[in-house]
Amino acid sequence: MPRLAQRNRPHDRQHPWTWEMEMEMDLGRSPESVIGYDSSPCWGDLKEIKTDDYKQKNPNGLLPAVKIEDESYYESGAIMQIILERFANGKLMPAANTKQRGKFLQWLWFLEATFTPHLSELHHHKMVLPDDKKVPEVIPYEEEVADQRMQVVEDQLSKAHYLLGEDFTAVDIVCGQVLTLAEEMEVMKPRSHPASHKYLEEMKGRPGYAKAVAH
């Protein structure tokens, strides 16, 4: 059986491929029948990710990193696509060379490259950085742009059950983790974004989500 080992933060919700490893509710079978995997969290001050040994897995000295069989990979979006292509047997991602595959990629990269960076800046300058590194002046701009991005998602979810319509796909896994951060940063608000709020509550109710955030 192929083996996958991941390095992440304990209880980290920012890596949707963790959820994919708990996707028996979508594949109709246990994840162990698809791929065996081990989750090894980094604790404390995360000094491990700055070591030469870890940088053999991710030369940026950042999380996450995974090892599939004998090869290491980094970048969450890339990891997700690798897992889908190698182990999901056509589930959770539309077939290649179809309109739905194009929409899948559009939403994937909108969420990863256009929406998430603004949420990450808010997260850093509100919560993560030490006080002498925080720049409060950037927060209003990042909130304004993040709100615009949030409205794009809200508009889509107000007319479709999932991002691609009626079928749950891996891009909904990504959207679930992005909206979790948007909720935490108070960008997504139940009154302003009722469709997105309802969608996220449904995502949180999926068995795979509960298992992923419990790691």
Side-chain angles (χ1 to χ4, degrees), residues 111 115 174 199 205:
L111 292 163
F115 193 174
V174 177
Y199 170 92

Side-chain angles (χ1 to χ4, degrees), residues 13-103:
R13 294 169 295 182
Q14 299 310 307
H15 304 313
W17 40 269
T18 304
W19 184 0
E20 284 187 72
M21 293 295 94
E22 301 290 357
M23 62 193 177
E24 71 273 22
M25 70 289 186
D26 294 296
L27 294 178
R29 53 192 168 169
S30 70
E32 288 76 15
S33 69
V34 182
I35 180 173
Y37 77 104
D38 301 306
S39 175
S40 302
C42 294
W43 299 92
D45 58 4
L46 303 179
K47 288 182 179 179
E48 176 190 341
I49 65 175
K50 303 302 180 184
T51 64
D52 291 340
D53 180 64
Y54 181 82
K55 287 183 178 179
Q56 295 297 311
K57 304 175 182 69
N58 187 338
N60 301 294
L62 298 171
L63 295 169
V66 302
K67 188 173 184 179
I68 301 176
E69 297 171 326
D70 295 324
E71 192 68 40
S72 295
Y73 302 94
Y74 55 94
E75 290 298 333
S76 293
I79 292 167
M80 188 188 76
Q81 287 194 263
I82 291 165
I83 292 170
L84 287 171
E85 290 176 2
R86 292 191 59 183
F87 305 111
N89 296 319
K91 302 289 186 180
L92 298 176
M93 182 168 62
N97 300 317
T98 63
K99 290 181 179 179
Q100 284 293 83
R101 182 63 164 266
K103 290 295 184 181

Side-chain angles (χ1 to χ4, degrees), residues 157-211:
L157 293 177
S158 67
K159 59 186 180 184
H161 193 168
Y162 300 114
L163 284 178
L164 298 189
E166 295 306 308
D167 294 327
F168 177 86
T169 69
V171 79
D172 294 295
I173 296 176
V174 177
C175 192
Q177 61 95 13
V178 172
L179 293 187
T180 298
L181 183 56
E183 182 179 53
E184 187 175 357
M185 293 299 102
E186 299 182 331
V187 170
M188 188 188 78
K189 304 177 181 70
R191 288 189 177 182
S192 302
H193 311 103
S196 299
H197 177 73
K198 180 181 178 181
Y199 170 92
L200 181 59
E201 290 306 301
E202 180 183 327
M203 293 299 105
K204 290 179 179 179
R206 298 184 78 93
Y209 184 101
K211 290 182 180 180

